Amino acid sequence: MVAGGQAEGAGPFEVTDRLIFSIAGPMTLAFLTTPLLGLVDTAVVGRLGSAELIAGLAVGAVLFDLLFSTFNFLRASTTGLVAQALGAGDRHAEQATFWRAFVSALGLGTVMLVLSPLLLAAGLWLMAPEPAVAEATRVYFGWRILSAPVALANYAILGYVLGRGQAGLGLFLQILINGINIVGSIGLGLVAGWGVAGVAAGTVAGEAIGALAGFLIVVTRFDRAHAPSLADLLDRTRLSELFALNRDIMIRSFVLLATFTLMTRIGAGMGALTLAANAVLMTLFMVAGFGLDGFANAAEQIVGRAVGARFRPAFDAALKRIALWSFGLALVMGAAFLAFGSALIDLLTTVADVRAAAHTYLPWVALTAVTGALAFLMDGVFIGATWSRDMRNMMLLAFVAFAIAAVVLVPLLGNHGLWAALNLFLLMRGVLLIARVPARSAESF
């Protein structure tokens, strides 16, 4: 507690570059371990010398992105609500938010595990890969689905940690999860000779150990004086508000992953070579995305805290300062991809044809860092402010733009048209969301 009995972190506060980087710095490093994991997984399978295995891993990874990221609302809503509770000085609400998210995560993950045969069948029908690619996907899916309950639990844990602004702890947990994953993928996939199955088993180990460690750290730090009762957790009004928030974010996340799934599906229709090349390039795209996510996370926490404290100056300052740093990083990353992207591609696969195809489309990946900068920032702002309805609606409009662009450009330009449509999608997301900021901020303050 601070002077006057106000909880620490509550009330007006100043937004500085130091505050921004205290969150963005650790979380940028934390999220960069995720695409690093993707790089390692792709490299492990790429060393097996088969384009079909690389493509099978790509299809499997997309299916899990679709499944898990659809439930990213567990992380996003928790971050926004906890940050707002922090700004309002409501420690009781912080703990209640965590428990609702954590129990929901375990339940949803268990349902996903039970339904896994149907989910795999639906995924293969949707992606329609070649027989050899489909077999590799089945192996990967059969192992990795075991991580569903703990993977979703990690969303809830990370959401709470980020909402509290504890970026150092978030960094530790992400490094723990992905570090174990990387070691397991290399050890089991290459050294033990398990191949694609080993890569998936390494993921299961990382998620399980990370969830256990994160849960123990978070719960042992709770102040029991603010512990919610079962009646509090089941309060109908709170649950109704949470359901509406999570519904909107889930739809938004589903549409986002549907875009990437459609992109992979269109790429699969161009053959295993194009699908494999795009899989390598999407790994590089994820590097840019997770790098920018650090500043998006800073926006989530600071904006949420500002909304909870009802302090407009902090909101305005956060928007301006974080935008400056986000676009600066985007330009640097785009230039880095142009300069060093070819070397990274060559590290990811030994298949000469896949390398050549990926080199051809590399400039499009460099452009995604710039076209996606505003989209990532606005995601952070709208999550922190819990303006979920606008996130949902603007994502739907951006998806329509992507679909139209793909229909028009792919027949004309092939895979170049597909990447052009993705860049348009990213740009539209950012522009549509920022256009809603003036009206929504006027309502919230």
Side-chain angles (χ1 to χ4, degrees):
M1 304 292 287
V2 295
Q6 187 181 59
E8 183 181 358
F13 62 100
E14 181 183 3
V15 177
T16 63
D17 290 336
R18 181 176 181 178
L19 174 61
I20 292 170
F21 275 90
S22 71
I23 302 170
M27 293 316 301
T28 295
L29 294 176
F31 286 125
L32 282 175
T33 65
T34 299
L36 176 61
L37 170 62
L39 291 171
V40 171
D41 286 352
T42 303
V44 167
V45 177
R47 294 295 172 184
L48 302 177
S50 168
E52 287 74 18
L53 289 179
I54 298 175
L57 175 65
V59 172
V62 167
L63 291 180
F64 278 100
D65 283 343
L66 181 61
L67 290 173
F68 288 166
S69 295
T70 296
F71 295 97
N72 189 50
F73 62 81
L74 293 165
R75 204 281 303 161
S77 64
T78 303
T79 297
L81 293 172
V82 169
Q84 290 183 19
L86 176 68
D90 191 343
R91 298 294 178 260
H92 180 88
E94 288 183 29
Q95 291 191 35
T97 298
F98 170 78
W99 285 115
R100 291 188 189 107
F102 187 78
V103 173
S104 297
L106 293 179
L108 290 169
T110 300
V111 170
M112 189 184 300
L113 187 58
V114 171
L115 296 178
S116 60
L118 294 177
L119 294 173
L120 175 59
L124 291 176
W125 173 82
L126 177 67
M127 303 299 290
E130 299 173 0
V133 175
E135 181 57 32
T137 300
R138 289 190 184 92
V139 172
Y140 180 82
F141 190 98
W143 278 91
R144 191 174 171 186
I145 194 64
L146 299 175
S147 71
V150 288
L152 297 189
N154 281 320
Y155 284 173
I157 293 168
L158 183 60
Y160 176 82
V161 167
L162 291 180
R164 290 279 299 157
Q166 298 169 334
L169 176 56
L171 173 60
F172 167 75
L173 292 175
Q174 291 300 113
I175 290 177
L176 177 65
I177 293 169
N178 292 326
I180 293 172
N181 198 335
I182 288 171
V183 172
S185 294
I186 295 174
L188 297 174
L190 281 182
V191 178
W194 289 17
V196 173
V199 169
T203 302
V204 176
E207 295 283 4
I209 294 173
L212 178 61
F215 176 79
L216 292 175
I217 292 171
V218 167
V219 171
T220 54
R221 293 181 178 182
F222 280 159
D223 183 346
R224 295 192 178 185
H226 299 293
S229 66
L230 181 60
D232 293 331
L233 296 178
L234 298 178
D235 179 78
R236 180 173 296 182
T237 301
R238 292 285 189 179
L239 288 175
S240 178
E241 293 173 350
L242 182 62
F243 173 79
L245 175 62
N246 286 340
R247 176 201 62 207
D248 291 339
I249 297 177
M250 182 178 70
I251 293 172
R252 170 260 179 198
S253 298
F254 181 81
V255 175
L256 176 62
L257 267 297
T259 303
F260 294 135
T261 302
L262 180 59
M263 182 172 179
T264 303
R265 178 67 180 85
I266 294 172
M270 299 179 189
L273 177 61
T274 298
L275 180 60
N278 283 353
V280 172
L281 292 171
M282 285 300 290
T283 302
L284 298 182
F285 166 70
M286 295 298 287
V287 172
F290 282 108
L292 293 169
D293 258 347
F295 286 110
N297 287 141
E300 290 176 22
Q301 202 279 334
I302 297 172
V303 165
R305 184 178 167 190
V307 170
R310 296 295 186 266
F311 189 54
R312 179 65 182 267
F315 174 87
D316 292 338
L319 189 58
K320 293 175 183 177
R321 286 178 176 270
I322 299 175
L324 177 64
W325 289 111
S326 294
F327 279 102
L329 177 61
L331 290 172
V332 170
M333 296 186 79
F337 283 146
L338 290 176
F340 307 110
S342 294
L344 288 174
I345 290 170
D346 291 347
L347 286 175
L348 290 175
T349 178
T350 59
V351 182
D353 290 345
V354 175
R355 282 179 171 179
H359 290 165
T360 300
Y361 306 110
L362 177 60
W364 289 110
V365 179
L367 184 60
T368 60
V370 179
T371 57
L374 183 60
F376 285 107
L377 172 61
M378 287 297 102
D379 278 350
V381 170
F382 278 69
I383 286 171
T386 59
W387 297 334
S388 59
R389 184 179 60 186
D390 296 282
M391 291 182 67
R392 177 198 67 195
N393 293 343
M394 298 307 105
M395 180 65 76
L396 287 168
L397 289 176
F399 176 77
V400 171
F402 169 79
I404 293 173
V407 168
V408 173
L409 296 178
V410 170
L412 295 175
L413 303 173
N415 202 39
H416 285 290
L418 184 58
W419 280 97
L422 177 63
N423 276 277
L424 176 64
F425 168 74
L426 295 171
L427 185 62
M428 288 293 292
R429 280 175 57 201
V431 171
L432 290 171
L433 285 174
I434 200 170
R436 291 290 300 149
V437 168
R440 295 298 280 142
S441 58
E443 295 173 5
S444 295
F445 296 97

